[in-house]
Amino acid sequence: MSLSTSSLSDFLAAHASVIKIALTRVRGSSPRNEGTEMFVAPNALWGTIGGGQLEYLAIDAARDMLRDGALQRDMDIPLGPEIGQCCGGRIEMRLTRMRASDKRVAQDRARQNDAALPHVYVLGAGHVGRALASLFQHMPVNCVLMDTRPEEIALNTAKVETRVSVLPEADIWNAPARSAFILLTHDHALDFLLASAALERGDAAYVGMIGSATKRAKLKSWTHRHCGGQTIEHLNCPIGASGSRDKRPSVIAAFVVAEVMAVLTSETAATASSETLKTPISGIQPGLEGRLA
């Protein structure tokens, strides 16, 4: 049995017989929310309903259906000692054999959900930028790694969109609403320009700039002189200032990704996404002077 890492569209195209598992009702504490789906083929899986014994039971039931030719089955499972879990909630799920039309609907919905994922712009493809891209490629976001230097972009190995941009502020102006912008270019002056552009939008979910409390203060002074007194109240700088003194790019990137994803998956953001799609999708303390150079 293998866990598929392809897209859902690729998975459904590759397997003739597939059972869709959908959580139809969730009561109390559970590992995933109502509407969550996963897909089971004879020798592969796509997605998860939370792991543990709950998922094992669902997969076994789905494989039984694949062998027996059954079309549909409903299950009602308490998440307690009866199955070796301690969440305390209760899950109702429906297992359905997918027809060709069901696959087309699922593929169309997956494409719509992918298109609606929040955009994260990593502006600067140096060591930290590339480390961020390598983590964001596994997150439910559309990550764009940008730099003015093609030789830095060429070093990226993450499966994210890349852009060599001579006018990155234009990319910021044209980004979708509720995008996240992480600024870590090789030039402080460029960082200031891009930070001002991102803050001026007024609709960014997150604007973060690599640096220290001193750099933040310099930006505040710069915006006051050159940007009509623009406020930097909503700027996160330093980024990744969680208490660690480790300045290795991979460590910095881990803390920054946690910051950004906390904002993008907040209750408000999650509600807005679900209301827009109608289908399931699968402020930082400044402190630590000199945290990042």
Side-chain angles (χ1 to χ4, degrees), residues 80-208:
E82 299 93 335
I83 66 166
Q85 290 197 212
C86 57
C87 297
R90 194 177 190 98
I91 295 289
E92 294 180 29
M93 66 180 78
R94 174 159 292 178
L95 287 66
T96 308
R97 181 181 292 271
M98 299 187 77
R99 301 166 297 179
S101 58
D102 297 325
K103 289 185 177 182
R104 287 193 294 271
V105 170
Q107 289 169 328
D108 288 343
R109 188 175 62 188
R111 284 190 285 268
Q112 292 171 8
N113 289 353
D114 287 345
L117 289 174
H119 281 66
V120 175
Y121 291 83
V122 179
L123 293 107
H127 295 295
V128 177
R130 296 196 300 272
L132 283 166
S134 70
L135 295 178
F136 275 124
Q137 69 178 326
H138 303 296
M139 297 292 113
V141 301
N142 289 314
C143 179
V144 183
L145 178 65
M146 298 173 52
D147 206 297
T148 58
R149 304 164 295 173
E151 65 274 15
E152 294 298 321
I153 288 290
L155 296 174
N156 171 64
T157 58
K159 294 181 179 179
V160 300
E161 180 183 344
T162 57
R163 296 182 192 173
V164 177
S165 177
V166 297
L167 197 64
E169 59 268 37
D171 291 273
I172 291 177
W173 298 334
N174 294 320
R178 297 293 298 165
S179 292
F181 302 95
I182 307 171
L183 314 172
L184 21 72
T185 76
H186 60 294
D187 186 326
H188 285 322
L190 181 57
D191 279 349
F192 285 7
L193 175 65
L194 299 181
S196 176
L199 291 169
E200 185 179 15
R201 289 179 54 105
D203 65 356
Y206 175 97
V207 181

Side-chain angles (χ1 to χ4, degrees), residues 41-52:
N43 296 297
L45 307 171
W46 196 94
T48 176
I49 56 171

Side-chain angles (χ1 to χ4, degrees), residues 4-293:
S4 173
T5 57
S6 64
S7 69
L8 177 57
S9 292
D10 291 341
F11 178 87
L12 294 176
H15 300 283
S17 298
V18 177
I19 301 296
K20 179 180 76 172
I21 303 173
L23 303 190
T24 55
R25 187 181 183 192
V26 174
R27 288 169 282 174
S29 178
S30 69
R32 296 298 302 273
N33 298 327
E34 185 175 309
T36 299
E37 296 176 348
M38 74 175 293
F39 301 83
V40 180
N43 296 297
L45 307 171
W46 196 94
T48 176
I49 56 171
Q53 292 300 315
L54 169 68
E55 189 162 296
Y56 286 131
L57 288 171
I59 292 171
D60 286 344
R63 294 263 160 79
D64 288 342
M65 291 175 62
L66 289 170
R67 284 189 296 268
D68 299 341
L71 300 180
Q72 185 171 294
R73 177 178 174 182
D74 292 320
M75 300 178 70
D76 184 350
I77 302 175
L79 304 179
E82 299 93 335
I83 66 166
Q85 290 197 212
C86 57
C87 297
R90 194 177 190 98
I91 295 289
E92 294 180 29
M93 66 180 78
R94 174 159 292 178
L95 287 66
T96 308
R97 181 181 292 271
M98 299 187 77
R99 301 166 297 179
S101 58
D102 297 325
K103 289 185 177 182
R104 287 193 294 271
V105 170
Q107 289 169 328
D108 288 343
R109 188 175 62 188
R111 284 190 285 268
Q112 292 171 8
N113 289 353
D114 287 345
L117 289 174
H119 281 66
V120 175
Y121 291 83
V122 179
L123 293 107
H127 295 295
V128 177
R130 296 196 300 272
L132 283 166
S134 70
L135 295 178
F136 275 124
Q137 69 178 326
H138 303 296
M139 297 292 113
V141 301
N142 289 314
C143 179
V144 183
L145 178 65
M146 298 173 52
D147 206 297
T148 58
R149 304 164 295 173
E151 65 274 15
E152 294 298 321
I153 288 290
L155 296 174
N156 171 64
T157 58
K159 294 181 179 179
V160 300
E161 180 183 344
T162 57
R163 296 182 192 173
V164 177
S165 177
V166 297
L167 197 64
E169 59 268 37
D171 291 273
I172 291 177
W173 298 334
N174 294 320
R178 297 293 298 165
S179 292
F181 302 95
I182 307 171
L183 314 172
L184 21 72
T185 76
H186 60 294
D187 186 326
H188 285 322
L190 181 57
D191 279 349
F192 285 7
L193 175 65
L194 299 181
S196 176
L199 291 169
E200 185 179 15
R201 289 179 54 105
D203 65 356
Y206 175 97
V207 181
M209 182 177 71
I210 198 166
S212 62
T214 299
K215 186 175 179 181
R216 180 188 180 93
K218 289 182 178 179
L219 174 63
K220 183 177 181 179
S221 177
W222 183 85
T223 55
H224 181 75
R225 293 195 312 271
H226 300 288
C227 305
Q230 180 185 56
T231 179
I232 64 167
E233 177 184 359
H234 299 296
L235 174 72
N236 298 288
C237 180
I239 53 176
S242 62
S244 172
R245 295 183 179 275
D246 195 323
K247 295 185 180 182
R248 284 174 290 183
S250 57
V251 176
I252 295 169
F255 284 120
V256 175
V257 169
E259 276 181 13
V260 174
M261 294 310 301
V263 173
L264 294 180
T265 59
S266 67
E267 190 66 33
T268 300
T271 300
S273 296
S274 64
E275 289 177 351
T276 299
L277 295 174
K278 300 299 183 184
T279 57
I281 304 181
S282 277
I284 309 304
Q285 296 295 323
L288 290 183
E289 170 70 16
R291 164 74 173 80
L292 302 173

